[in-house]
Amino acid sequence: MESQGLAYHRTAHPENLTRPYWDESVHYVLEMEEVLHLEEVVEELHRMCLQAAEHVVRTGRYEVLGIEERLAPLIEESWRRRDPHVYGRFDLRYDGAGPAKLLEYNADTPTSLVESSVIQWFWKEDVFPEDDQWNSIHERLVDRWRELPLREGPLHFAWTEADLSGEEIMTVSYLRETAEQAGRECVSLTMESVGWDGEDYRGLEGERIKTLCKLYPWEWIVGEPFGAFVDETDWVEPMWKMLLSNKGLLVLLWELFPGHPNLLPAYLNTPGDLTSHIRKPLLGREGASMTITAPGVSQETGGRYGAEGFVFQEFAALPEFDGQHPVLGAWVVADESAGLGIRETSGLITDDTSSFVPHRIPQ
């Protein structure tokens, strides 16, 4: 497993836990019929998110997302150019019976990519070679890089030195591998080595960076000294993804598509009429800074997120299987459903203590 690329399953997982990050002692079985249905759900949710992005650009409702007004022109230019995007991951609540419910959309810097695409596929091939899996992530990524209209020159792939677990460098390295399989020339570097010379983005060797694929959030990029010049290069993911990689999106979706069977009611900075809710920061990671308030349930996670505001989403407890609560991470490449990764946790909030478990579709 480590030789296949999962080199961070120990360093990125709290040492005090008895359960490993990658846990193949259990797995989920999904029928082909429900997978086909979930694929339709995911692609519909993706289309709805794009409509929400268009709504923000058209109406200027950046305050719902906690985005500074100074960034609006750059975001709008990126959206109107239709700067190409590559991938994203929907987190869904699904119990196998009722409709899947959107928990959030990781549209800018989604992780768990290596284990979703590569590791669990090799597990299936080794253990259940006759079965199938909801997993065309790798092939779709290669196809996407091949068709992507980018500027001439090499693709630069960047991660941050601030990540000490190795997860980000392995994720970026895997993305680079899919681009190279598509025939693209690629260069790796850290975000800390990216600079601005007054005219172009450049690396430490002085090379011009025309296209940069980064695992570095847009809200951090726009805070950098060179953040005012982002339209001078191509970015993966593009700047308009700021409209989707934000939990304020949940509020906009509920406004635009009230009562949709795959959405949960969500409101900005107030629970509204919700008696059971989970408070989520507009910008946050790994389940940090969240609070559940419901009859018989009170839970809070630590963290420093929330300066931009909070979303109150209806609390729908995750289903329970043998004491574990799964969240489905449904991947999108370009505008199409691409695969599934499942993370389990013993608690009600998926965080850095959760484990990744594989799945299969019986023949």
Side-chain angles (χ1 to χ4, degrees):
M1 183 191 69
E2 292 176 348
S3 70
Q4 293 161 351
L6 196 60
Y8 49 85
H9 63 107
R10 303 180 194 277
T11 55
H13 200 55
E15 295 181 356
N16 61 317
L17 300 178
T18 58
R19 190 184 190 192
Y21 174 64
W22 167 267
D23 188 357
E24 61 184 68
S25 68
V26 296
H27 68 272
Y28 282 85
V29 177
L30 293 90
E31 299 297 331
M32 181 62 76
E33 183 177 349
E34 65 181 326
V35 168
L36 293 175
H37 173 68
L38 287 169
E39 285 185 329
E40 294 177 355
V41 168
V42 168
E43 292 183 1
E44 181 177 4
L45 286 171
H46 179 67
R47 289 192 296 270
M48 291 160 58
C49 289
L50 296 181
Q51 291 181 52
E54 173 64 28
H55 169 77
V56 174
V57 169
R58 185 163 36 83
T59 63
R61 298 186 63 198
Y62 294 95
E63 75 283 353
V64 178
L65 304 170
I67 295 176
E68 299 177 49
E69 196 64 34
R70 68 180 179 88
L71 301 175
L74 293 172
I75 294 173
E76 291 171 8
E77 289 172 12
S78 174
W79 173 253
R80 290 178 176 134
R81 288 194 304 261
R82 292 299 189 267
D83 290 347
H85 62 108
V86 175
Y87 71 137
R89 191 192 78 232
F90 286 99
D91 285 349
L92 306 174
R93 180 202 182 276
Y94 179 65
D95 59 10
K101 299 288 187 179
L102 174 62
L103 300 176
E104 61 181 85
Y105 188 16
N106 301 276
D108 182 23
T109 57
T111 53
S112 77
L113 179 64
V114 176
E115 46 270 52
S116 295
S117 177
V118 178
I119 307 302
Q120 69 169 343
W121 177 261
F122 283 121
W123 165 85
K124 183 208 74 72
E125 291 290 276
D126 287 345
V127 184
F128 296 97
E130 301 301 321
D131 288 350
D132 202 351
Q133 192 173 82
W134 181 8
N135 190 356
S136 59
I137 301 170
H138 184 88
E139 296 81 3
R140 290 181 183 273
L141 283 171
V142 173
D143 289 343
R144 184 57 173 162
W145 289 119
R146 187 176 290 122
E147 70 186 16
L148 216 59
L150 299 174
R151 305 184 196 198
E152 290 185 6
L155 278 167
H156 286 75
F157 287 80
W159 70 95
T160 174
E161 295 174 351
D163 174 55
L164 302 179
S165 70
E167 181 179 15
E168 293 195 8
I169 188 174
M170 289 306 300
T171 302
V172 170
S173 297
Y174 171 64
L175 283 168
R176 171 178 170 165
E177 181 178 330
T178 60
E180 288 177 334
Q181 289 186 19
R184 298 281 190 172
E185 179 187 357
C186 301
V187 176
S188 295
L189 74 170
T190 65
M191 283 299 298
E192 288 77 8
S193 66
V194 175
W196 173 258
D197 68 357
E199 294 183 359
D200 299 301
Y201 285 97
R202 296 189 181 273
L204 285 178
E205 303 299 322
E207 71 278 16
R208 184 183 176 190
I209 300 173
K210 297 182 180 180
T211 301
L212 185 61
C213 175
K214 84 288 181 300
L215 202 65
Y216 195 77
W218 266 108
E219 61 266 23
W220 296 358
I221 291 175
V222 296
E224 298 281 1
F226 54 70
F229 311 106
V230 293
D231 58 348
E232 297 300 323
T233 194
D234 289 335
W235 297 83
V236 178
E237 294 295 297
M239 193 175 187
W240 61 262
K241 279 291 189 82
M242 287 189 75
L243 304 176
L244 306 185
S245 59
N246 181 306
K247 296 179 185 68
L249 171 70
L250 302 171
V251 175
L252 295 169
L253 289 173
W254 188 248
E255 287 183 11
L256 296 171
F257 308 97
H260 191 283
N262 300 119
L263 297 178
L264 293 167
Y267 305 99
L268 182 65
N269 292 323
T270 176
D273 58 357
L274 300 176
T275 56
S276 297
H277 53 77
I278 178 169
R279 191 184 74 161
K280 302 179 176 182
L282 290 181
L283 299 172
R285 282 168 176 76
E286 291 289 356
S289 305
M290 293 190 181
T291 304
I292 297 175
T293 303
V297 180
S298 180
Q299 185 174 338
E300 185 174 356
T301 59
R304 300 179 179 179
Y305 298 108
E308 296 82 7
F310 291 88
V311 165
F312 288 78
Q313 186 183 45
E314 181 178 80
F315 175 64
L318 296 174
E320 182 176 336
F321 299 95
D322 294 333
Q324 297 292 324
H325 305 92
V327 166
L328 272 60
W331 290 88
V332 170
V333 175
D335 298 308
E336 295 182 343
S337 174
L340 173 68
I342 301 175
R343 295 180 71 187
E344 282 188 333
T345 181
S346 59
L348 298 176
I349 297 175
T350 304
D351 56 20
D352 61 357
T353 67
S354 65
S355 295
F356 189 99
V357 298
H359 76 278
R360 65 184 173 96
I361 304 169
Q363 186 181 31

